[in-house]
Amino acid sequence: MSTKAPKGKGSRAKLREIFYENVGHVLNSDFLREVAGTSEWGRRLRELRNEEGMNIVTHNDRSDLKPGEYLLVDIKPLPFFDRSISKETRAFVLDRNGFTCQMCGAAAGEPHPYDQGRKTRLHIGHIIDKSMGGSDEPSNLRAICSICNEGASNLTLNRPQAIKLLAQVRRAPTSDQLDVLKWIVEKFPLQAAGVLKKFD
């Protein structure tokens, strides 16, 4: 695994390059933070996944990875979503929301209430994520600070219960059910093999 951090580039470019140099190797969050050289490294990493389609997996995708570990599976990009929002729309949403985070109430430029060592930086976030069919229309956008944005998915979505998940899967088309099966087998290969043995 290469541990040489590229210099003279933006944090997103540095992360992109270090992942390409380490395809198939697990990289941990401390190393990636050092490479990126910014506290916003997690946001840059999500941009690589969501906006460039880099196939970077975490413990949420594979059971053999621990929290804080990341792995670029291969260089073939996955489908991704264009998140370009015009400057005019950004300005409109920020003004409409009073330049205040719509989740925690922190105001732009002031010390963040949950991390006094950081000034509040606002971003534009989607109420319904684009991966879930949300649009870039102002009605689906809101001002959100960096700290809330980092944990937005955990704060805004309740963890689904198994019985609800199974009900959703049962209602899905067969092709979607097979996609779910493939994802589960890839994440839990050993457990999947154990289940299949019971049917032998």
Side-chain angles (χ1 to χ4, degrees):
M1 179 182 79
S2 171
T3 57
K4 183 180 179 182
K7 297 180 179 179
K9 299 179 180 178
S11 56
R12 182 163 153 175
K14 291 176 183 175
L15 289 172
R16 183 190 306 111
E17 187 170 321
I18 211 70
F19 271 112
Y20 280 142
E21 289 178 0
N22 293 282
V23 176
H25 295 283
V26 176
L27 305 178
N28 66 48
S29 54
D30 290 336
F31 174 68
L32 294 173
R33 183 184 299 110
E34 182 180 342
V35 168
T38 173
S39 61
E40 299 275 327
W41 70 274
R43 181 179 177 82
R44 301 288 88 79
L45 196 147
R46 286 193 296 277
E47 289 171 353
L48 291 174
R49 295 182 66 175
N50 299 331
E51 299 179 16
E52 299 186 20
M54 288 182 68
N55 192 8
I56 301 169
V57 297
T58 70
H59 70 287
N60 289 322
D61 309 297
R62 287 182 33 169
S63 63
D64 58 334
L65 295 176
K66 300 173 184 175
E69 291 185 337
Y70 302 83
L71 181 146
L72 177 62
V73 176
D74 54 47
I75 61 172
K76 182 181 179 182
L78 299 172
F80 58 92
F81 303 93
D82 181 9
R83 291 178 179 267
S84 58
I85 299 171
S86 71
K87 291 181 180 178
E88 291 78 12
T89 299
R90 289 176 185 275
F92 172 80
V93 173
L94 288 171
D95 184 61
R96 181 192 65 193
N97 292 159
F99 294 89
T100 302
C101 176
Q102 298 303 290
M103 293 187 71
C104 69
E110 296 181 355
H112 197 280
Y114 301 131
D115 187 349
Q116 294 289 315
R118 294 172 63 175
K119 285 190 176 182
T120 301
R121 293 184 59 188
L122 293 179
H123 306 275
I124 300 298
H126 290 82
I127 297 170
I128 300 175
D129 196 81
K130 292 194 75 170
S131 64
M132 302 291 288
S135 73
D136 287 337
E137 295 298 316
S139 60
N140 189 45
L141 300 174
R142 63 182 170 179
I144 185 170
C145 72
S146 303
I147 291 178
C148 288
N149 195 36
E150 289 169 2
S153 60
N154 292 330
L155 291 171
T156 57
L157 296 175
N158 294 325
R159 287 186 179 274
Q161 297 175 333
I163 191 169
K164 291 182 179 177
L165 275 174
L166 289 173
Q168 291 291 320
V169 171
R170 287 191 190 105
R171 293 173 49 204
T174 301
S175 61
D176 289 348
Q177 291 181 357
L178 290 172
D179 285 343
V180 171
L181 175 63
K182 180 182 176 187
W183 180 82
I184 290 175
V185 169
E186 288 177 351
K187 180 168 183 180
F188 301 104
L190 297 177
Q191 293 88 340
V195 171
L196 288 174
K197 282 184 179 177
K198 295 179 181 177
F199 294 98
D200 287 343

